mmCIF file of all heavy atoms in Angstrom:
data_model
loop_
_atom_site.group_PDB
_atom_site.id
_atom_site.type_symbol
_atom_site.label_atom_id
_atom_site.label_comp_id
_atom_site.label_asym_id
_atom_site.label_seq_id
_atom_site.Cartn_x
_atom_site.Cartn_y
_atom_site.Cartn_z
ATOM 1 N N ALA A 176 -213.057 37.671 129.041
ATOM 2 C CA ALA A 176 -212.928 36.446 129.879
ATOM 3 C C ALA A 176 -213.464 36.886 131.248
ATOM 4 O O ALA A 176 -213.342 38.080 131.681
ATOM 5 C CB ALA A 176 -211.575 35.931 129.952
ATOM 6 N N ILE A 177 -214.271 36.037 131.857
ATOM 7 C CA ILE A 177 -214.754 36.237 133.286
ATOM 8 C C ILE A 177 -214.102 35.196 134.099
ATOM 9 O O ILE A 177 -214.191 33.995 133.803
ATOM 10 C CB ILE A 177 -216.290 36.177 133.358
ATOM 11 C CG1 ILE A 177 -216.909 37.337 132.463
ATOM 12 C CG2 ILE A 177 -216.680 36.416 134.796
ATOM 13 C CD1 ILE A 177 -218.395 37.392 132.521
ATOM 14 N N ASP A 178 -213.475 35.573 135.299
ATOM 15 C CA ASP A 178 -212.972 34.586 136.165
ATOM 16 C C ASP A 178 -214.046 34.270 137.172
ATOM 17 O O ASP A 178 -214.237 34.972 138.114
ATOM 18 C CB ASP A 178 -211.803 35.233 136.856
ATOM 19 C CG ASP A 178 -210.984 34.184 137.709
ATOM 20 O OD1 ASP A 178 -211.525 33.091 137.810
ATOM 21 O OD2 ASP A 178 -209.878 34.497 138.149
ATOM 22 N N PHE A 179 -214.691 33.014 137.060
ATOM 23 C CA PHE A 179 -215.784 32.656 137.787
ATOM 24 C C PHE A 179 -215.332 32.164 139.221
ATOM 25 O O PHE A 179 -216.162 31.973 140.070
ATOM 26 C CB PHE A 179 -216.682 31.752 137.179
ATOM 27 C CG PHE A 179 -217.594 32.420 136.120
ATOM 28 C CD1 PHE A 179 -217.393 32.089 134.887
ATOM 29 C CD2 PHE A 179 -218.626 33.044 136.560
ATOM 30 C CE1 PHE A 179 -218.271 32.616 133.882
ATOM 31 C CE2 PHE A 179 -219.380 33.719 135.658
ATOM 32 C CZ PHE A 179 -219.241 33.455 134.312
ATOM 33 N N SER A 180 -213.987 32.066 139.365
ATOM 34 C CA SER A 180 -213.531 31.768 140.775
ATOM 35 C C SER A 180 -213.527 33.071 141.565
ATOM 36 O O SER A 180 -213.516 32.990 142.803
ATOM 37 C CB SER A 180 -212.294 31.135 140.757
ATOM 38 O OG SER A 180 -211.184 32.018 140.372
ATOM 39 N N LEU A 181 -213.435 34.172 141.003
ATOM 40 C CA LEU A 181 -213.566 35.533 141.723
ATOM 41 C C LEU A 181 -214.840 36.129 141.741
ATOM 42 O O LEU A 181 -215.257 36.797 142.667
ATOM 43 C CB LEU A 181 -212.573 36.499 141.145
ATOM 44 C CG LEU A 181 -211.091 36.366 141.411
ATOM 45 C CD1 LEU A 181 -210.418 37.555 140.672
ATOM 46 C CD2 LEU A 181 -210.914 36.497 142.885
ATOM 47 N N CYS A 182 -215.685 35.802 140.651
ATOM 48 C CA CYS A 182 -217.007 36.576 140.489
ATOM 49 C C CYS A 182 -217.808 36.535 141.660
ATOM 50 O O CYS A 182 -217.987 35.465 142.254
ATOM 51 C CB CYS A 182 -217.648 35.963 139.168
ATOM 52 S SG CYS A 182 -219.281 36.712 138.906
ATOM 53 N N MET A 183 -218.459 37.638 142.072
ATOM 54 C CA MET A 183 -219.314 37.476 143.182
ATOM 55 C C MET A 183 -220.790 37.561 142.761
ATOM 56 O O MET A 183 -221.734 37.801 143.571
ATOM 57 C CB MET A 183 -218.984 38.693 144.243
ATOM 58 C CG MET A 183 -219.089 40.019 143.749
ATOM 59 S SD MET A 183 -218.305 41.078 144.940
ATOM 60 C CE MET A 183 -219.632 41.804 145.776
ATOM 61 N N TYR A 184 -221.094 37.474 141.465
ATOM 62 C CA TYR A 184 -222.482 37.294 140.979
ATOM 63 C C TYR A 184 -223.303 38.473 141.471
ATOM 64 O O TYR A 184 -224.421 38.202 141.845
ATOM 65 C CB TYR A 184 -223.042 35.953 141.442
ATOM 66 C CG TYR A 184 -222.279 34.776 140.804
ATOM 67 C CD1 TYR A 184 -221.149 34.348 141.477
ATOM 68 C CD2 TYR A 184 -222.666 34.097 139.724
ATOM 69 C CE1 TYR A 184 -220.279 33.331 140.996
ATOM 70 C CE2 TYR A 184 -221.911 33.125 139.166
ATOM 71 C CZ TYR A 184 -220.748 32.737 139.734
ATOM 72 O OH TYR A 184 -220.046 31.625 139.225
ATOM 73 N N CYS A 185 -222.792 39.643 141.377
ATOM 74 C CA CYS A 185 -223.540 40.820 141.818
ATOM 75 C C CYS A 185 -224.402 41.311 140.611
ATOM 76 O O CYS A 185 -225.413 42.007 140.865
ATOM 77 C CB CYS A 185 -222.658 41.945 142.284
ATOM 78 S SG CYS A 185 -221.483 42.498 141.190
ATOM 79 N N GLY A 186 -223.968 41.066 139.478
ATOM 80 C CA GLY A 186 -224.796 41.516 138.261
ATOM 81 C C GLY A 186 -224.535 42.999 137.818
ATOM 82 O O GLY A 186 -225.390 43.461 137.024
ATOM 83 N N ILE A 187 -223.577 43.569 138.432
ATOM 84 C CA ILE A 187 -223.396 45.025 138.089
ATOM 85 C C ILE A 187 -222.852 45.041 136.630
ATOM 86 O O ILE A 187 -223.400 46.044 135.884
ATOM 87 C CB ILE A 187 -222.329 45.583 139.013
ATOM 88 C CG1 ILE A 187 -222.936 45.791 140.410
ATOM 89 C CG2 ILE A 187 -221.767 47.026 138.505
ATOM 90 C CD1 ILE A 187 -222.012 46.269 141.524
ATOM 91 N N CYS A 188 -222.103 44.197 136.051
ATOM 92 C CA CYS A 188 -221.647 44.210 134.752
ATOM 93 C C CYS A 188 -222.889 44.141 133.800
ATOM 94 O O CYS A 188 -222.956 44.690 132.712
ATOM 95 C CB CYS A 188 -220.629 43.068 134.524
ATOM 96 S SG CYS A 188 -221.208 41.485 134.964
ATOM 97 N N ILE A 189 -223.898 43.287 134.203
ATOM 98 C CA ILE A 189 -225.058 43.081 133.378
ATOM 99 C C ILE A 189 -225.818 44.390 133.288
ATOM 100 O O ILE A 189 -226.393 44.902 132.226
ATOM 101 C CB ILE A 189 -225.877 41.913 133.835
ATOM 102 C CG1 ILE A 189 -224.975 40.647 133.667
ATOM 103 C CG2 ILE A 189 -227.239 41.769 133.165
ATOM 104 C CD1 ILE A 189 -225.405 39.484 134.381
ATOM 105 N N GLU A 190 -225.912 45.002 134.513
ATOM 106 C CA GLU A 190 -226.763 46.335 134.531
ATOM 107 C C GLU A 190 -226.054 47.540 133.810
ATOM 108 O O GLU A 190 -226.784 48.320 133.296
ATOM 109 C CB GLU A 190 -227.041 46.605 136.019
ATOM 110 C CG GLU A 190 -228.076 45.658 136.628
ATOM 111 C CD GLU A 190 -228.357 46.070 138.079
ATOM 112 O OE1 GLU A 190 -228.202 47.146 138.341
ATOM 113 O OE2 GLU A 190 -228.979 45.126 138.627
ATOM 114 N N VAL A 191 -224.731 47.518 133.933
ATOM 115 C CA VAL A 191 -224.191 48.713 133.315
ATOM 116 C C VAL A 191 -223.933 48.563 131.763
ATOM 117 O O VAL A 191 -223.633 49.528 131.060
ATOM 118 C CB VAL A 191 -222.771 49.137 134.007
ATOM 119 C CG1 VAL A 191 -222.959 49.348 135.391
ATOM 120 C CG2 VAL A 191 -221.628 47.962 133.733
ATOM 121 N N CYS A 192 -224.063 47.366 131.356
ATOM 122 C CA CYS A 192 -223.766 47.179 129.916
ATOM 123 C C CYS A 192 -224.678 47.969 129.089
ATOM 124 O O CYS A 192 -225.900 47.707 129.070
ATOM 125 C CB CYS A 192 -223.769 45.673 129.498
ATOM 126 S SG CYS A 192 -223.468 45.411 127.796
ATOM 127 N N PRO A 193 -224.261 48.901 128.388
ATOM 128 C CA PRO A 193 -225.153 49.821 127.631
ATOM 129 C C PRO A 193 -225.798 49.252 126.274
ATOM 130 O O PRO A 193 -226.674 49.790 125.719
ATOM 131 C CB PRO A 193 -224.389 51.087 127.281
ATOM 132 C CG PRO A 193 -222.965 50.627 127.280
ATOM 133 C CD PRO A 193 -222.826 49.400 128.161
ATOM 134 N N PHE A 194 -225.120 48.055 125.937
ATOM 135 C CA PHE A 194 -225.665 47.459 124.597
ATOM 136 C C PHE A 194 -226.115 46.082 124.737
ATOM 137 O O PHE A 194 -226.268 45.335 123.822
ATOM 138 C CB PHE A 194 -224.434 47.511 123.735
ATOM 139 C CG PHE A 194 -223.816 48.830 123.336
ATOM 140 C CD1 PHE A 194 -222.701 49.250 123.992
ATOM 141 C CD2 PHE A 194 -224.470 49.672 122.476
ATOM 142 C CE1 PHE A 194 -222.208 50.603 123.638
ATOM 143 C CE2 PHE A 194 -224.132 50.872 122.249
ATOM 144 C CZ PHE A 194 -223.015 51.435 122.810
ATOM 145 N N ASP A 195 -226.466 45.760 126.018
ATOM 146 C CA ASP A 195 -227.007 44.368 126.379
ATOM 147 C C ASP A 195 -226.262 43.302 125.737
ATOM 148 O O ASP A 195 -226.775 42.449 125.014
ATOM 149 C CB ASP A 195 -228.508 44.416 125.827
ATOM 150 C CG ASP A 195 -229.521 44.971 126.685
ATOM 151 O OD1 ASP A 195 -229.063 45.439 127.834
ATOM 152 O OD2 ASP A 195 -230.599 45.188 126.401
ATOM 153 N N ALA A 196 -225.028 43.254 126.128
ATOM 154 C CA ALA A 196 -224.260 42.148 125.776
ATOM 155 C C ALA A 196 -224.045 41.015 126.713
ATOM 156 O O ALA A 196 -223.636 39.949 126.423
ATOM 157 C CB ALA A 196 -222.777 42.608 125.300
ATOM 158 N N LEU A 197 -224.441 41.388 127.942
ATOM 159 C CA LEU A 197 -224.311 40.380 129.118
ATOM 160 C C LEU A 197 -225.685 40.039 129.555
ATOM 161 O O LEU A 197 -226.561 40.866 129.645
ATOM 162 C CB LEU A 197 -223.344 40.940 130.200
ATOM 163 C CG LEU A 197 -221.972 41.187 129.804
ATOM 164 C CD1 LEU A 197 -221.280 41.957 130.790
ATOM 165 C CD2 LEU A 197 -221.191 39.903 129.652
ATOM 166 N N PHE A 198 -225.787 38.597 129.883
ATOM 167 C CA PHE A 198 -227.121 38.193 130.383
ATOM 168 C C PHE A 198 -226.823 37.238 131.590
ATOM 169 O O PHE A 198 -225.914 36.545 131.497
ATOM 170 C CB PHE A 198 -227.935 37.607 129.232
ATOM 171 C CG PHE A 198 -228.195 38.406 128.048
ATOM 172 C CD1 PHE A 198 -227.285 38.570 127.033
ATOM 173 C CD2 PHE A 198 -229.401 39.101 128.137
ATOM 174 C CE1 PHE A 198 -227.707 39.419 125.992
ATOM 175 C CE2 PHE A 198 -229.669 40.122 127.079
ATOM 176 C CZ PHE A 198 -228.880 40.152 126.035
ATOM 177 N N TRP A 199 -227.788 37.172 132.336
ATOM 178 C CA TRP A 199 -227.810 36.120 133.328
ATOM 179 C C TRP A 199 -228.445 34.841 132.810
ATOM 180 O O TRP A 199 -229.377 34.805 132.009
ATOM 181 C CB TRP A 199 -228.704 36.469 134.579
ATOM 182 C CG TRP A 199 -228.190 37.236 135.618
ATOM 183 C CD1 TRP A 199 -228.570 38.475 136.069
ATOM 184 C CD2 TRP A 199 -226.922 37.036 136.341
ATOM 185 N NE1 TRP A 199 -227.734 38.978 136.942
ATOM 186 C CE2 TRP A 199 -226.789 38.106 137.165
ATOM 187 C CE3 TRP A 199 -226.084 35.927 136.423
ATOM 188 C CZ2 TRP A 199 -225.721 38.193 138.104
ATOM 189 C CZ3 TRP A 199 -224.973 35.984 137.239
ATOM 190 C CH2 TRP A 199 -224.874 37.117 138.082
ATOM 191 N N SER A 200 -227.761 33.690 133.030
ATOM 192 C CA SER A 200 -228.265 32.472 132.618
ATOM 193 C C SER A 200 -228.331 31.589 133.917
ATOM 194 O O SER A 200 -227.526 31.597 134.695
ATOM 195 C CB SER A 200 -227.346 31.805 131.691
ATOM 196 O OG SER A 200 -227.470 30.386 131.626
ATOM 197 N N PRO A 201 -229.463 30.745 134.105
ATOM 198 C CA PRO A 201 -229.475 29.863 135.283
ATOM 199 C C PRO A 201 -228.527 28.713 135.339
ATOM 200 O O PRO A 201 -228.663 27.931 136.242
ATOM 201 C CB PRO A 201 -230.965 29.482 135.224
ATOM 202 C CG PRO A 201 -231.582 30.159 134.050
ATOM 203 C CD PRO A 201 -230.594 30.564 133.187
ATOM 204 N N GLU A 202 -227.740 28.589 134.229
ATOM 205 C CA GLU A 202 -226.871 27.421 134.127
ATOM 206 C C GLU A 202 -225.936 27.369 135.329
ATOM 207 O O GLU A 202 -225.345 28.449 135.685
ATOM 208 C CB GLU A 202 -226.125 27.491 132.864
ATOM 209 C CG GLU A 202 -225.285 26.313 132.454
ATOM 210 C CD GLU A 202 -226.132 25.087 132.142
ATOM 211 O OE1 GLU A 202 -227.393 25.320 131.685
ATOM 212 O OE2 GLU A 202 -225.698 24.032 132.565
ATOM 213 N N PHE A 203 -225.791 26.201 136.012
ATOM 214 C CA PHE A 203 -224.870 26.143 137.104
ATOM 215 C C PHE A 203 -223.851 25.096 137.052
ATOM 216 O O PHE A 203 -223.060 24.788 137.872
ATOM 217 C CB PHE A 203 -225.681 26.083 138.373
ATOM 218 C CG PHE A 203 -226.603 24.882 138.458
ATOM 219 C CD1 PHE A 203 -226.088 23.742 138.949
ATOM 220 C CD2 PHE A 203 -227.901 24.972 137.988
ATOM 221 C CE1 PHE A 203 -226.905 22.523 138.973
ATOM 222 C CE2 PHE A 203 -228.702 23.823 137.962
ATOM 223 C CZ PHE A 203 -228.268 22.523 138.471
ATOM 224 N N GLU A 204 -223.971 24.257 136.088
ATOM 225 C CA GLU A 204 -223.094 23.007 135.989
ATOM 226 C C GLU A 204 -221.711 23.295 135.395
ATOM 227 O O GLU A 204 -221.571 22.778 134.177
ATOM 228 C CB GLU A 204 -223.826 21.896 135.230
ATOM 229 C CG GLU A 204 -225.135 21.445 135.981
ATOM 230 C CD GLU A 204 -226.073 20.599 135.133
ATOM 231 O OE1 GLU A 204 -226.208 20.934 133.929
ATOM 232 O OE2 GLU A 204 -226.456 19.483 135.622
ATOM 233 N N TYR A 205 -220.934 23.987 136.052
ATOM 234 C CA TYR A 205 -219.526 24.219 135.455
ATOM 235 C C TYR A 205 -218.488 24.033 136.567
ATOM 236 O O TYR A 205 -217.416 24.762 136.431
ATOM 237 C CB TYR A 205 -219.547 25.513 134.715
ATOM 238 C CG TYR A 205 -220.016 26.735 135.445
ATOM 239 C CD1 TYR A 205 -219.050 27.601 135.951
ATOM 240 C CD2 TYR A 205 -221.320 27.055 135.658
ATOM 241 C CE1 TYR A 205 -219.491 28.772 136.614
ATOM 242 C CE2 TYR A 205 -221.661 28.115 136.402
ATOM 243 C CZ TYR A 205 -220.750 28.947 136.797
ATOM 244 O OH TYR A 205 -221.163 30.105 137.552
ATOM 245 N N SER A 206 -218.696 23.111 137.442
ATOM 246 C CA SER A 206 -217.608 22.858 138.398
ATOM 247 C C SER A 206 -216.390 22.250 137.632
ATOM 248 O O SER A 206 -216.580 21.622 136.616
ATOM 249 C CB SER A 206 -218.060 21.890 139.475
ATOM 250 O OG SER A 206 -219.242 22.262 140.009
ATOM 251 N N THR A 207 -215.273 22.540 138.117
ATOM 252 C CA THR A 207 -214.113 22.050 137.452
ATOM 253 C C THR A 207 -213.167 21.328 138.490
ATOM 254 O O THR A 207 -213.225 21.494 139.639
ATOM 255 C CB THR A 207 -213.254 23.170 136.785
ATOM 256 O OG1 THR A 207 -212.892 24.102 137.780
ATOM 257 C CG2 THR A 207 -214.090 23.922 135.739
ATOM 258 N N THR A 208 -212.181 20.692 137.971
ATOM 259 C CA THR A 208 -211.209 20.092 138.825
ATOM 260 C C THR A 208 -209.930 20.808 138.761
ATOM 261 O O THR A 208 -209.018 20.614 139.505
ATOM 262 C CB THR A 208 -210.953 18.653 138.316
ATOM 263 O OG1 THR A 208 -210.561 18.635 136.942
ATOM 264 C CG2 THR A 208 -212.065 17.762 138.428
ATOM 265 N N ASP A 209 -209.903 21.868 137.989
ATOM 266 C CA ASP A 209 -208.784 22.774 137.935
ATOM 267 C C ASP A 209 -209.134 24.212 138.081
ATOM 268 O O ASP A 209 -210.102 24.690 137.311
ATOM 269 C CB ASP A 209 -207.921 22.577 136.611
ATOM 270 C CG ASP A 209 -206.516 23.258 136.651
ATOM 271 O OD1 ASP A 209 -206.373 24.168 137.477
ATOM 272 O OD2 ASP A 209 -205.710 22.839 135.833
ATOM 273 N N ILE A 210 -208.546 24.859 138.922
ATOM 274 C CA ILE A 210 -209.164 26.292 139.066
ATOM 275 C C ILE A 210 -208.919 27.183 137.873
ATOM 276 O O ILE A 210 -209.695 28.095 137.687
ATOM 277 C CB ILE A 210 -208.387 27.032 140.336
ATOM 278 C CG1 ILE A 210 -208.947 28.376 140.682
ATOM 279 C CG2 ILE A 210 -206.870 27.171 140.155
ATOM 280 C CD1 ILE A 210 -209.711 28.396 141.950
ATOM 281 N N ARG A 211 -207.962 26.809 137.031
ATOM 282 C CA ARG A 211 -207.684 27.635 135.938
ATOM 283 C C ARG A 211 -208.805 27.499 134.932
ATOM 284 O O ARG A 211 -208.991 28.442 134.064
ATOM 285 C CB ARG A 211 -206.320 27.296 135.195
ATOM 286 C CG ARG A 211 -205.157 27.736 135.922
ATOM 287 C CD ARG A 211 -203.913 26.977 135.581
ATOM 288 N NE ARG A 211 -203.848 25.598 135.899
ATOM 289 C CZ ARG A 211 -202.838 24.879 135.737
ATOM 290 N NH1 ARG A 211 -201.723 25.379 135.261
ATOM 291 N NH2 ARG A 211 -202.936 23.570 136.167
ATOM 292 N N ASP A 212 -209.575 26.401 134.859
ATOM 293 C CA ASP A 212 -210.599 26.207 133.946
ATOM 294 C C ASP A 212 -211.800 27.143 134.332
ATOM 295 O O ASP A 212 -212.864 27.159 133.574
ATOM 296 C CB ASP A 212 -211.108 24.818 133.949
ATOM 297 C CG ASP A 212 -209.989 23.961 133.356
ATOM 298 O OD1 ASP A 212 -209.074 24.429 132.713
ATOM 299 O OD2 ASP A 212 -210.061 22.712 133.677
ATOM 300 N N LEU A 213 -211.916 27.773 135.552
ATOM 301 C CA LEU A 213 -212.937 28.625 135.954
ATOM 302 C C LEU A 213 -212.767 30.047 135.190
ATOM 303 O O LEU A 213 -213.662 30.779 135.258
ATOM 304 C CB LEU A 213 -212.969 28.855 137.427
ATOM 305 C CG LEU A 213 -213.661 27.658 138.113
ATOM 306 C CD1 LEU A 213 -213.666 27.974 139.655
ATOM 307 C CD2 LEU A 213 -215.057 27.359 137.710
ATOM 308 N N LEU A 214 -211.687 30.235 134.625
ATOM 309 C CA LEU A 214 -211.524 31.484 133.778
ATOM 310 C C LEU A 214 -212.131 31.223 132.396
ATOM 311 O O LEU A 214 -211.590 30.617 131.714
ATOM 312 C CB LEU A 214 -210.081 31.941 133.742
ATOM 313 C CG LEU A 214 -209.709 33.144 132.964
ATOM 314 C CD1 LEU A 214 -210.301 34.409 133.574
ATOM 315 C CD2 LEU A 214 -208.210 33.331 132.686
ATOM 316 N N GLN A 215 -213.329 31.692 132.281
ATOM 317 C CA GLN A 215 -214.152 31.294 130.982
ATOM 318 C C GLN A 215 -213.896 32.389 129.990
ATOM 319 O O GLN A 215 -214.186 33.549 130.158
ATOM 320 C CB GLN A 215 -215.524 31.156 131.405
ATOM 321 C CG GLN A 215 -215.887 30.260 132.558
ATOM 322 C CD GLN A 215 -215.751 28.789 132.089
ATOM 323 O OE1 GLN A 215 -215.404 28.424 130.976
ATOM 324 N NE2 GLN A 215 -216.225 27.912 133.100
ATOM 325 N N GLU A 216 -213.423 31.858 128.833
ATOM 326 C CA GLU A 216 -213.255 32.820 127.703
ATOM 327 C C GLU A 216 -214.396 33.110 126.899
ATOM 328 O O GLU A 216 -215.526 32.456 127.243
ATOM 329 C CB GLU A 216 -212.208 32.138 126.737
ATOM 330 C CG GLU A 216 -210.796 32.059 127.349
ATOM 331 C CD GLU A 216 -210.066 33.494 127.751
ATOM 332 O OE1 GLU A 216 -210.416 34.396 127.090
ATOM 333 O OE2 GLU A 216 -209.287 33.309 128.700
ATOM 334 N N LYS A 217 -214.388 33.888 125.973
ATOM 335 C CA LYS A 217 -215.682 34.436 125.328
ATOM 336 C C LYS A 217 -216.394 33.356 124.473
ATOM 337 O O LYS A 217 -217.637 33.418 124.309
ATOM 338 C CB LYS A 217 -215.402 35.658 124.369
ATOM 339 C CG LYS A 217 -214.510 35.368 123.222
ATOM 340 C CD LYS A 217 -214.285 36.526 122.300
ATOM 341 C CE LYS A 217 -213.446 36.233 121.251
ATOM 342 N NZ LYS A 217 -213.132 37.339 120.452
ATOM 343 N N GLU A 218 -215.644 32.349 124.056
ATOM 344 C CA GLU A 218 -216.231 31.275 123.392
ATOM 345 C C GLU A 218 -217.196 30.524 124.303
ATOM 346 O O GLU A 218 -218.319 30.182 123.892
ATOM 347 C CB GLU A 218 -215.258 30.308 122.848
ATOM 348 C CG GLU A 218 -214.422 30.756 121.740
ATOM 349 C CD GLU A 218 -213.278 31.831 122.229
ATOM 350 O OE1 GLU A 218 -212.848 31.766 123.305
ATOM 351 O OE2 GLU A 218 -212.965 32.642 121.282
ATOM 352 N N THR A 219 -216.714 30.177 125.474
ATOM 353 C CA THR A 219 -217.613 29.474 126.530
ATOM 354 C C THR A 219 -218.724 30.371 126.946
ATOM 355 O O THR A 219 -219.876 30.005 127.079
ATOM 356 C CB THR A 219 -216.727 29.040 127.762
ATOM 357 O OG1 THR A 219 -215.357 28.832 127.278
ATOM 358 C CG2 THR A 219 -217.278 27.945 128.434
ATOM 359 N N LEU A 220 -218.424 31.707 127.188
ATOM 360 C CA LEU A 220 -219.478 32.537 127.637
ATOM 361 C C LEU A 220 -220.731 32.690 126.622
ATOM 362 O O LEU A 220 -221.748 32.836 126.851
ATOM 363 C CB LEU A 220 -218.925 33.997 127.946
ATOM 364 C CG LEU A 220 -217.957 33.998 128.988
ATOM 365 C CD1 LEU A 220 -217.328 35.383 129.077
ATOM 366 C CD2 LEU A 220 -218.599 33.705 130.424
ATOM 367 N N GLY A 221 -220.085 32.618 125.251
ATOM 368 C CA GLY A 221 -221.091 32.664 124.126
ATOM 369 C C GLY A 221 -221.991 31.414 124.135
ATOM 370 O O GLY A 221 -223.121 31.459 123.618
ATOM 371 N N GLN A 222 -221.355 30.256 124.538
ATOM 372 C CA GLN A 222 -222.073 29.020 124.479
ATOM 373 C C GLN A 222 -223.279 29.017 125.410
ATOM 374 O O GLN A 222 -224.144 28.133 125.280
ATOM 375 C CB GLN A 222 -221.146 27.846 124.833
ATOM 376 C CG GLN A 222 -220.277 27.430 123.566
ATOM 377 C CD GLN A 222 -219.220 26.491 123.940
ATOM 378 O OE1 GLN A 222 -219.269 25.965 125.162
ATOM 379 N NE2 GLN A 222 -218.392 26.152 122.945
ATOM 380 N N TRP A 223 -223.169 29.890 126.498
ATOM 381 C CA TRP A 223 -224.282 29.947 127.400
ATOM 382 C C TRP A 223 -225.432 30.741 126.898
ATOM 383 O O TRP A 223 -226.507 30.829 127.688
ATOM 384 C CB TRP A 223 -223.759 30.339 128.722
ATOM 385 C CG TRP A 223 -223.071 29.315 129.580
ATOM 386 C CD1 TRP A 223 -223.618 28.161 129.739
ATOM 387 C CD2 TRP A 223 -221.798 29.395 130.266
ATOM 388 N NE1 TRP A 223 -222.741 27.477 130.614
ATOM 389 C CE2 TRP A 223 -221.647 28.263 130.975
ATOM 390 C CE3 TRP A 223 -220.915 30.491 130.471
ATOM 391 C CZ2 TRP A 223 -220.550 27.946 131.712
ATOM 392 C CZ3 TRP A 223 -219.831 30.145 131.163
ATOM 393 C CH2 TRP A 223 -219.552 28.974 131.835
ATOM 394 N N MET A 224 -225.255 31.432 125.831
ATOM 395 C CA MET A 224 -226.352 32.276 125.296
ATOM 396 C C MET A 224 -227.726 31.562 125.016
ATOM 397 O O MET A 224 -228.720 32.035 125.467
ATOM 398 C CB MET A 224 -225.945 33.110 124.057
ATOM 399 C CG MET A 224 -225.352 34.505 124.333
ATOM 400 S SD MET A 224 -226.220 35.439 125.522
ATOM 401 C CE MET A 224 -227.622 35.938 124.682
#
Side-chain angles (χ1 to χ4, degrees):
Chain A
I177 299 181
D178 190 348
F179 282 110
S180 73
L181 277 181
C182 178
M183 59 194 263
Y184 297 79
C185 59
I187 288 177
C188 51
I189 294 162
E190 284 185 18
V191 300
C192 183
F194 299 103
D195 279 353
L197 294 169
F198 297 92
W199 277 121
S200 156
E202 190 63 33
F203 58 88
E204 294 171 313
Y205 53 106
S206 304
T207 58
T208 53
D209 191 341
I210 187 109
R211 287 167 291 188
D212 296 339
L213 283 180
L214 180 64
Q215 308 281 9
E216 297 292 335
K217 67 179 176 188
E218 291 77 23
T219 328
L220 297 175
Q222 279 168 10
W223 277 314
M224 264 320 283

